[in-house]
Amino acid sequence: MQSAVSNGKFAGSRVPLLFLNNKKSPERRITSASTSCVCSIWNNFLYKRRIRMATDHKLRYVTSMLEFPSGAGKISALNAIILGEALASEENDLVFPSDDFARQAHVSSPQQYFEMYKRSVEDPDGFWSDIASQFYWKKKWDQPACSENFDWFKGGLTNICYNCLDRNIVSGNGDKIAIYWEGNDPGFQDSLTYSQLLDRVCQLSNYLKDVGVKKGDAVVIYLPMLMELPIAMLACARIGAVHSVVFAGFSSESLAQRIIDCKPKVVITCNAVKRGAKVIHLKDIVDTALAESAKNGISVDVCLTYENQIALKREGTKWKEGKDVWWQDLVPKYPTTCEVEWVDAEDPLFLLYTSGSTGKPKGVLHTTGGYMVYSATTFKYAFDYKPSDVYWCTADCGWITGHSYVTYGPMLNGASVVVFEGAPTYPDAGRCWDIVDKFKVTLFYTAPTLHVTRYSRKSLRVLGSVGEPINPSAWRWFFNVVGDSRCPISDTWWQTETGGFMITPLPGAWPQKPGSATFPFFGVQPVIVDEKGVEIEGECSGYLCIKNSWPGAFRTLYGDHERYETTYFKPFAGYYFTGDGCSRDKDGYHWLTGRVDDVINVSGHRIGTAEVESALVSHPKCAEAAVVGVEHEVKGQGIYAFVTLVEGEPYSEELRKSLTFTVRKQIGAFAAPDKIHWAPGLPKTRSGKIMRRILRKIASKQFDELGDTSTLAEPNVVEQLIELADR
């Protein structure tokens, strides 16, 4: 397979020339981002500091850093804003890095950022070629780094597994810990050095080749956060196979849907896993999915099963001879060396299904070279990674965060990574901080909703926020309480489709505003457009788009290139449409305001409302359903479902439970509605469109903010829904 979008199994039509319209000069674009304004803020602050004053209106909450050694300043005076509703109503606090932190940072000032960013958009070939050259290439690319919009380093031969493992060993880091593993139950832990990890990866690679997996073949991985999960990803990459990791919380029906779509040669799983005190029989889920796949004409010959003895002994595992194979019985017998399959930079690396605004998940396809360079570079700069750091991202590898910032990005930098199997609240709410203290974690990337009790957390150096954009109030809690007002926060904005961070703070580069994703990463050119696709300059709100390509961009939606073009490039011609709303303040800082389509982000897990609605409506007693996202103090967003029953069916708690179970069965427990609101009818326009704006207000009990309901076909439905709000 020579190209992800032109040849072979994962083929699609060529990517069209997508970024030809609405282009402006790099100089104008840079100005619109107001990066120069950040430089002036910084210089102004340094001047004020020299004369021990901080009275400028832009710094009115910041006192001298001589009085606050952490460089935090006072942040308690900021009024929080509601993202998605309005811009900040007044000046924002500016939280500066300390002198010591900035001095040692990879990017230590706005001026340095500005110079690097300017080169990245004016000379992308030179900028990214210099960075890519730091990795190992069997053959260097034979044309400009970026060609044909989305082809990066085309013609170059490399292997991401080699760069993650062999390259680090060659450089003398073979004995460095690559993975610290912490089990679900306290007291269960393990670790692997880079040399040991390579041995395990090679053994699995050799096994996969022995059972017929070749370059370009798909392998589905349905594993919890055991060390075997990143091992399986790297083993596939080593031999040029395309891995599709499926979150081990998805139901058998969701797993079957993905198996049918990508037609894998092998499925890799384990017999069971413990989540908290509960044992989940993953092998049973896989068996059901494989049976369903076979009914649809897709048969998988091999199910490689890891015996997770902590959860379940093999004697208690259902087994099918001839198809099922125990990992421990075969894989360790294979050699610990495996020849690398050198692949073109544009050959596919992985397929990851993500929820969309329609019921069918989208198979996002990422290729090798650009993704490798981008995930490594964003990790290095956004977390200000140093070789002495211990890094922990709490995300599961079943999601893009686990791909880019558990496995590939960190290991391409030779990092020591914590992999945690369990739940953050088991056996108590302090589990995460116990792990932080235990492994002396310095870089911590998580959804900032965790409790802090009786732990020191003194090792922490940089915090990262993943999932939904955090509002200023949550930001302040994360900064003040978790980080003791001494750790900068990388509040990152990006997507499965982007492959890596797009708008993100660089910890030592500039002052942060609580709740703002700040400025674009190198090479990323964000624009805010109005409904007609016209770029808006300066302080504004609108639709967030990206113009011009970046190395981490996905190449197609597997099997549906037309949907790829329609979803991402047709809404605003000449731009990649992110699907998100965004505000930019007068200083050029970006504030993400949430999805403009119907995708909910639950604890970092993106789930389309249409998927949940489809599951609910499949229940024989459900006539119609509408799902919206609401704020949730733990998950970030919760799932709130309005359900209309078939005529004559009475409301009951048992029926509510039955509907919830249906969603759990068809999608997974993480997609179960937090609230089912009985709905005699749904607020619809005369054309039949559901007014989700009104449903969101009702779900949030903002009954006095419903707005105009005169366009509804049946306005009295709203009153009925309000009356049933607490039932």
Side-chain angles (χ1 to χ4, degrees):
M1 181 162 43
Q2 298 175 1
S3 172
V5 291
S6 61
N7 297 291
K9 176 180 176 181
F10 288 85
S13 59
R14 290 302 302 163
V15 180
L17 296 179
L18 300 166
F19 293 113
L20 295 182
N21 299 329
N22 299 323
K23 281 191 176 181
K24 298 183 180 180
S25 68
E27 291 78 12
R28 184 174 181 187
R29 205 231 66 81
I30 292 169
T31 301
S32 70
S34 299
T35 311
S36 58
C37 189
V38 184
C39 297
S40 67
I41 292 174
W42 182 260
N43 291 331
N44 189 28
F45 176 77
L46 294 178
Y47 171 75
K48 296 292 185 183
R49 181 181 173 194
R50 283 196 295 271
I51 60 175
R52 297 183 62 80
M53 292 179 64
T55 55
D56 184 272
H57 70 284
K58 292 178 180 174
L59 304 169
R60 66 186 184 192
Y61 298 140
V62 181
T63 57
S64 171
M65 290 169 68
L66 296 176
E67 297 175 31
F68 288 82
S70 69
K74 295 180 179 179
I75 62 175
S76 59
L78 175 64
N79 292 323
I81 62 166
I82 306 285
L83 294 179
E85 297 293 331
L87 288 168
S89 60
E90 59 184 70
E91 299 293 339
N92 296 294
D93 293 319
L94 297 173
V95 181
F96 291 84
S98 65
D99 278 354
D100 184 59
F101 191 103
R103 197 164 38 240
Q104 300 179 59
H106 291 304
V107 182
S108 58
S109 68
Q111 291 91 335
Q112 184 185 353
Y113 163 77
F114 182 72
E115 290 168 4
M116 294 177 69
Y117 181 80
K118 188 171 187 289
R119 185 188 177 211
S120 75
V121 297
E122 293 183 349
D123 178 24
D125 179 54
F127 181 86
W128 290 111
S129 291
D130 286 351
I131 293 176
S133 296
Q134 299 169 23
F135 299 94
Y136 181 82
W137 296 81
K138 187 71 172 178
K139 172 180 172 290
K140 193 171 180 181
W141 49 101
D142 50 12
Q143 51 189 294
C146 179
S147 59
E148 298 184 51
N149 286 291
F150 277 152
D151 284 347
W152 283 87
F153 313 111
K154 191 173 182 181
L157 296 180
T158 189
N159 183 284
I160 197 170
C161 175
Y162 183 92
N163 278 285
C164 283
L165 303 181
D166 307 62
R167 175 171 148 269
N168 283 310
I169 294 168
V170 169
S171 67
N173 288 320
D175 294 332
K176 182 177 181 178
I177 296 295
I179 297 175
Y180 291 104
W181 179 76
E182 175 80 4
N184 175 77
D185 295 310
F188 289 91
Q189 65 184 72
D190 204 348
S191 65
L192 289 173
T193 65
Y194 271 92
S195 292
Q196 292 169 332
L197 178 58
L198 177 59
D199 289 348
R200 300 273 189 96
V201 167
C202 286
Q203 288 177 324
L204 181 57
S205 295
N206 285 321
Y207 167 78
L208 291 173
K209 290 201 297 184
D210 201 33
V211 297
V213 177
K214 303 182 295 297
K215 176 184 176 183
D217 288 337
V219 174
V220 165
I221 304 171
Y222 186 72
L223 282 168
M225 289 295 281
L226 304 173
M227 288 194 291
E228 284 66 28
L229 178 46
I231 286 172
M233 296 167 66
L234 290 161
C236 290
R238 191 170 191 85
I239 63 175
V242 181
H243 62 71
S244 179
V245 182
V246 180
F247 173 55
F250 274 116
S251 68
S252 60
E253 293 180 32
S254 292
L255 176 59
Q257 188 178 36
R258 288 153 173 78
I259 291 172
I260 292 167
D261 196 57
C262 73
K263 306 172 183 60
K265 283 284 187 72
V266 173
V267 171
I268 302 176
T269 189
C270 69
N271 56 343
V273 65
K274 285 187 71 177
R275 287 211 181 93
K278 183 179 180 181
V279 175
I280 300 173
H281 295 254
L282 294 182
K283 178 64 166 52
D284 292 352
I285 295 172
V286 172
D287 288 344
T288 304
L290 290 175
E292 182 63 28
S293 301
K295 291 178 185 176
N296 286 270
I298 305 300
S299 295
V300 180
D301 295 330
V302 179
C303 179
L304 180 64
T305 306
Y306 183 83
E307 182 187 3
N308 190 14
Q309 296 182 0
I310 298 172
L312 181 69
K313 302 293 185 183
R314 65 172 62 187
E315 293 77 18
T317 306
K318 296 177 183 177
W319 206 247
K320 186 174 182 179
E321 294 296 337
K323 180 187 292 286
D324 297 337
V325 180
W326 287 113
W327 179 309
Q328 286 93 329
D329 287 352
L330 287 180
V331 174
K333 296 179 180 179
Y334 282 83
T336 56
T337 58
C338 178
E339 186 177 346
V340 172
E341 181 73 40
W342 301 107
V343 299
D344 188 273
E346 281 302 311
D347 280 340
L349 173 63
F350 65 85
L351 185 64
L352 186 58
Y353 289 87
T354 182
S355 295
S357 56
T358 65
K360 183 184 177 183
K362 300 175 292 188
V364 171
L365 185 69
H366 279 283
T367 53
T368 302
Y371 174 83
M372 176 180 76
V373 172
Y374 198 70
S375 62
T377 308
T378 49
F379 172 80
K380 173 183 175 180
Y381 286 104
F383 295 113
D384 193 49
Y385 169 75
K386 307 289 171 46
S388 58
D389 283 317
V390 175
Y391 168 78
W392 181 20
C393 171
T394 59
D396 192 287
C397 286
W399 309 98
I400 187 62
T401 306
H403 283 59
S404 298
Y405 301 114
V406 172
T407 302
Y408 291 119
M411 291 184 185
L412 287 165
N413 282 277
S416 295
V417 181
V418 174
V419 173
F420 176 43
E421 177 192 19
T425 56
Y426 178 81
D428 59 51
R431 183 69 187 280
C432 280
W433 312 119
D434 177 53
I435 296 171
V436 166
D437 289 349
K438 180 179 185 178
F439 295 111
K440 302 294 186 290
V441 172
T442 57
L443 311 178
F444 187 36
Y445 189 35
T446 189
T449 55
L450 305 169
H451 298 285
V452 183
T453 56
R454 74 180 186 275
Y455 298 99
S456 72
R457 310 178 310 283
K458 294 299 183 185
S459 61
L460 292 174
R461 191 172 71 83
V462 176
L463 296 172
S465 171
V466 62
E468 282 293 287
I470 52 177
N471 64 42
S473 179
W475 194 103
R476 293 199 305 274
W477 173 84
F478 201 34
F479 179 80
N480 280 334
V481 179
V482 177
D484 291 329
S485 300
R486 58 184 170 78
C487 300
I489 297 175
S490 287
D491 182 10
T492 58
W493 174 81
W494 61 302
Q495 302 173 319
T496 302
E497 295 87 345
T498 70
F501 304 145
M502 299 290 279
I503 303 178
T504 179
L506 301 183
W510 54 66
Q512 293 184 290
K513 292 185 179 184
S516 171
T518 68
F519 297 95
F521 192 72
F522 304 127
V524 176
Q525 300 186 58
V527 295
I528 297 175
V529 302
D530 63 18
E531 292 183 353
K532 296 180 179 179
V534 177
E535 288 185 32
I536 314 171
E537 300 289 344
E539 185 175 4
C540 62
S541 293
Y543 300 96
L544 179 61
C545 294
I546 310 295
K547 63 178 177 183
N548 294 340
S549 184
W550 65 98
F554 74 129
R555 301 306 193 257
T556 191
L557 293 177
Y558 174 57
D560 198 349
H561 197 73
E562 182 179 354
R563 184 182 183 190
Y564 167 77
E565 294 184 24
T566 300
T567 302
Y568 300 100
F569 300 100
K570 284 191 176 177
F572 300 104
Y575 301 107
Y576 167 81
F577 175 45
T578 68
D580 282 329
C582 183
S583 295
R584 184 172 55 228
D585 68 23
K586 60 183 179 53
D587 296 324
Y589 284 67
H590 293 80
W591 302 77
L592 274 297
T593 57
R595 300 296 297 175
V596 296
D597 61 10
D598 297 315
V599 176
I600 303 172
N601 200 322
V602 181
S603 298
H605 308 330
R606 295 179 74 243
I607 184 73
T609 58
E611 286 186 80
V612 183
E613 289 165 359
S614 296
L616 288 167
V617 173
S618 71
H619 192 287
K621 295 184 179 181
C622 177
E624 192 172 25
V627 170
V628 297
V630 292
E631 285 193 19
H632 192 288
E633 62 180 9
V634 175
K635 300 177 183 179
Q637 277 192 301
I639 297 175
Y640 196 109
F642 292 85
V643 171
T644 302
L645 300 178
V646 297
E647 189 173 356
E649 283 295 337
Y651 305 140
S652 72
E653 192 58 32
E654 286 303 311
L655 181 51
R656 199 190 305 266
K657 291 178 181 177
S658 179
L659 288 162
T660 301
F661 176 77
T662 298
V663 177
R664 293 171 66 96
K665 180 176 180 294
Q666 290 193 21
I667 303 175
F670 69 97
D674 297 279
K675 168 78 173 178
I676 291 181
H677 186 134
W678 302 124
L682 296 173
K684 298 178 181 179
T685 63
R686 293 176 179 84
S687 62
K689 181 179 180 181
I690 297 173
M691 296 287 284
R692 296 178 186 274
R693 168 183 61 80
I694 293 174
L695 292 180
R696 291 189 187 96
K697 294 298 183 182
I698 293 173
S700 302
K701 295 194 174 181
Q702 297 172 307
F703 304 137
D704 57 344
E705 300 178 24
L706 296 176
D708 182 19
T709 61
S710 62
T711 59
L712 296 178
E714 297 182 40
N716 63 317
V717 165
V718 174
E719 295 178 8
Q720 293 175 317
L721 291 175
I722 293 174
E723 290 174 4
L724 290 167
D726 295 319
R727 285 194 57 178

